[in-house]
Amino acid sequence: MSITKTFFGYTRDGQKVLRYQMTNGNGMEVSVISYAAAIQSIRVPDRTGTLVDVALGYDTVPEYEADGCFFGNLVGRFANRLRDARFVLDGETYQLQPNEGPNHLHGSYCYRVFDGEIEGNTLTFSFLSPDGEEGYPGNLSVRYRYTLTEDNRLLLDYQATTDQATIINLTNHVYFNLGGHAAGDVLDTVLQMDASRYTACDSASLLTGEILPVEGTPFDFRTPKAIGRDIDGDHPMLAYGSGYDLNMVLDEPSMERPAATAWSPKTGIRMTCCTTQPGVQLYSGNYIVPDGPRPGKDGATYGSRQGFCLESQCFPCAPDFAHFPSAVLRPGEVYHQQTAYQFDVV
């Protein structure tokens, strides 16, 4: 297992961006850039032993700066949406910066350059999110780690502490295409999820507070099925998001029990996702190209539904609903969650 670093480019304001390549003894390679601590590529062997890049990304920093899809980015302080860009905590209302109409989506970490540190087979990004940044209370100290193991497992480890009560919901927004990042849409990818419920949302993708059974809906992935089988089915939430874009409620979040398993009939590459988080946002890449093909890395062009996301998370709009898992972090507590993506071949 080795990690090397090279120059990747400069941001528009002159910040230097580095690229870290993690390689294990099986030849699996994961590249991470210091802009947004973004996963730039994941190269794993297919059924013939050929390395295939299964993550969407870009070749240059300006492309990442112009991107609205968050390819591979660390997102936070609160991933997903907050209604009207505000929340109430301990009786006080905090107004955040709206960045999706009147609402708040993902936060600003996806636009920052972080300092990386190589520690054995782990790449660590440590940073301080100051009190008042985007309107969030508390100085939040974050430590975000990538670890690549010899059994082709990429572990994402998130830790944070605060000096004032705040909310937190960190995730990574990597887009997977197990047929290869330039292989076209992911509709033939077979997906299974350990989720018998989902959280309902309205036409603005804001949660209503309802937690509903997947039974009898297009959101039932308890038995493996192709992502494309029901994606254009007759359900209002599919119409709202032009495909899958919803929070799946995991039955038993655990690093020992798969939250999701996906595999590509094109390559035979299988990915297993485990997480300690209560939810996973299933997103089928419906808005990758709202206005035409999007140029990607290695000369590829990306189209709608050419990547899917499994974003481990606390529930969107969590501060609005007391019956949701809490997203509150208080002084003296440690926010700690893990997600792992492991790859093999079937």
Side-chain angles (χ1 to χ4, degrees), residues 159 222 324:
Q159 294 187 46
R222 292 173 297 174
F324 282 4

Side-chain angles (χ1 to χ4, degrees), residues 192-211:
Q192 181 177 15
M193 299 194 72
D194 185 37
S196 57
R197 298 176 298 163
Y198 69 98
T199 50
C201 70
D202 62 18
S203 60
S205 298
L206 298 167
L207 297 200
T208 65
E210 296 175 285
I211 300 177

Side-chain angles (χ1 to χ4, degrees), residues 74-79 104 106-110 134 136 169-171:
L74 168 68
V75 294
R77 182 178 301 195
F78 195 93
H104 183 79
H106 290 328
S108 65
Y109 298 170
C110 48
E134 297 184 275
Y136 289 100
N169 186 25
L170 305 180
T171 194

Side-chain angles (χ1 to χ4, degrees), residues 179-236:
H181 77 101
D185 66 54
V186 296
L187 300 183
D188 66 344
T189 299
V190 178
L191 176 66
Q192 181 177 15
M193 299 194 72
D194 185 37
S196 57
R197 298 176 298 163
Y198 69 98
T199 50
C201 70
D202 62 18
S203 60
S205 298
L206 298 167
L207 297 200
T208 65
E210 296 175 285
I211 300 177
L212 303 175
V214 300
E215 181 76 35
T217 75
F219 314 130
D220 191 349
F221 284 92
R222 292 173 297 174
T223 299
K225 68 177 181 180
I227 290 175
R229 194 185 82 177
D230 300 322
I231 196 169
D232 293 315
D234 184 17
H235 193 284

